[in-house]
Amino acid sequence: MIKAPSVGKILREFIQQHRLYQSAWARDAGQSAQTVARYLKQDTMQVDTLFAICQHLNHNFLRDIANLLPPEMPPLLPADQTTEVAVLKAENEQLKIQVATLEKALSLVGGN
């Protein structure tokens, strides 16, 4: 298993890359500068807190964290997309059968 990333480190890197001020973030979020500074030091964080931070900073940190998971862990598709994928797979199989049938018919016609 891989070690969970530090949420504070991810937040620090984001604000450094985007040249944001902690004080401005705190003011915009209606929080104290100490609270924002504490966020940047935390390794873990409650999802509702991180969700609010995503909205204040207009960035999906949850996706950033999910992208750190191993590639063999595929994303969960919504139910409507899962159904659509199943329908498309079935349609694809039918088309393969039709192509094979047409190729066989053409070979019979071409062989005469």
Side-chain angles (χ1 to χ4, degrees):
M1 286 190 47
I2 60 174
K3 185 176 184 262
S6 167
V7 176
K9 181 179 178 187
I10 292 171
L11 294 173
R12 278 192 312 274
E13 289 173 358
F14 179 83
I15 65 168
Q16 287 171 352
Q17 288 173 353
H18 291 85
R19 294 188 174 112
L20 300 176
Y21 291 100
Q22 293 178 37
S23 57
W25 169 14
R27 187 175 48 255
D28 292 344
Q31 298 176 332
S32 70
Q34 292 84 6
T35 299
V36 169
R38 191 173 45 241
Y39 290 158
L40 301 178
K41 294 177 183 174
Q42 292 179 329
D43 285 332
T44 63
M45 187 176 294
Q46 290 186 349
V47 173
D48 60 340
T49 302
L50 186 56
F51 194 79
I53 291 170
C54 289
Q55 293 175 70
H56 288 296
L57 297 181
N58 195 32
H59 184 79
N60 191 342
F61 294 103
L62 298 166
R63 183 180 309 134
D64 292 347
I65 293 168
N67 286 338
L68 296 173
L69 291 168
E72 61 270 8
M73 295 179 75
L76 179 64
L77 294 175
D80 59 333
Q81 286 183 343
T82 303
T83 302
E84 184 179 348
V85 168
V87 168
L88 290 172
K89 283 183 177 181
E91 183 180 325
N92 190 33
E93 289 304 315
Q94 288 296 320
L95 289 171
K96 286 179 182 178
I97 292 169
Q98 290 175 4
V99 166
T101 303
L102 286 171
E103 286 175 342
K104 186 174 182 179
L106 286 173
S107 70
L108 293 174
V109 172
N112 289 342

